[in-house]
Amino acid sequence: MTALMADAEVETAFAADQPPSEQPEDRHLLALIRALLATEKAGGEARAAMPLGGTFDLVVTSDGLAAARALRAMDEVQGVTAGVVRLPAPGLLLWCVPPGTAAGWSWHPAALCVGAPYAVPLPGRGADSGPGPYWARPFAAAQRVPPGPLRGLLTEYGPPPPHDRVAASGLISISPS
């Protein structure tokens, strides 16, 4: 009976594309790894839907001169800003901030912050220039954009509100994890 149960568990996990030993707390990490592998298989310009909340949350701003000034100022604050994606088509910047930031982020006229249970398509590791989505500042696993200084710089430089652009782009989806 135990062997039949184990076989049934393996078949169910295979059908769901999840290992049978997957624990609920590991689902976010596994979803992230699967998305990265899918992106690498498809090439550097491919975009993978990354679940938010476990590795990072995102602050979304409009792109443009004011956002470029905030990005340069953040480079000075942080040394080198890590984890900023430029989406030229809708004109947005995605700033990778520590996980949990969205829970404490209050409304801001120049930015919106999203975390779990959402997912956002990101460019592959090798995407470092346009015309499509690319890493304006490559993501570093050990470094994220500090939300406090970012919020202050967005207030100071005041890029236009991104909310309508985000809604029209279909950028944010519910994460399957």
Side-chain angles (χ1 to χ4, degrees):
M1 184 75 158
T2 307
L4 288 176
M5 288 176 66
D7 288 343
E9 182 181 10
V10 170
E11 286 178 21
T12 302
F14 181 77
D17 191 28
Q18 296 178 358
S21 62
E22 184 175 315
Q23 299 296 316
E25 61 272 11
D26 296 332
R27 285 188 183 139
H28 182 273
L29 178 59
L30 290 170
L32 179 64
I33 290 168
R34 286 185 191 112
L36 286 171
L37 290 174
T39 299
E40 288 180 12
K41 286 180 188 174
E45 292 185 22
R47 296 171 66 193
M50 304 296 266
L52 300 176
T55 305
F56 54 84
D57 286 353
L58 288 175
V59 170
V60 182
T61 65
S62 291
D63 198 0
L65 187 54
R69 287 179 178 148
L71 184 58
R72 282 192 300 274
M74 184 54 75
D75 286 342
E76 292 177 20
V77 167
Q78 195 175 13
V80 172
T81 304
V84 181
V85 174
R86 180 165 276 128
L87 302 175
L92 296 171
L93 285 181
L94 310 177
W95 308 73
C96 297
V97 294
T101 300
W105 187 270
S106 57
W107 183 84
H108 192 284
L112 96 103
C113 189
V114 287
Y118 298 102
V120 175
L122 297 177
R125 284 190 315 178
D128 59 3
S129 64
Y134 65 94
W135 291 97
R137 300 293 188 272
F139 180 71
Q143 188 178 19
R144 289 165 192 73
V145 178
L150 174 61
R151 186 178 184 85
L153 290 171
L154 294 175
T155 299
E156 180 179 343
Y157 292 106
H163 306 80
D164 290 343
R165 290 180 189 190
V166 171
S169 71
L171 174 70
I172 299 168
S173 61
I174 300 292
S175 174
S177 58

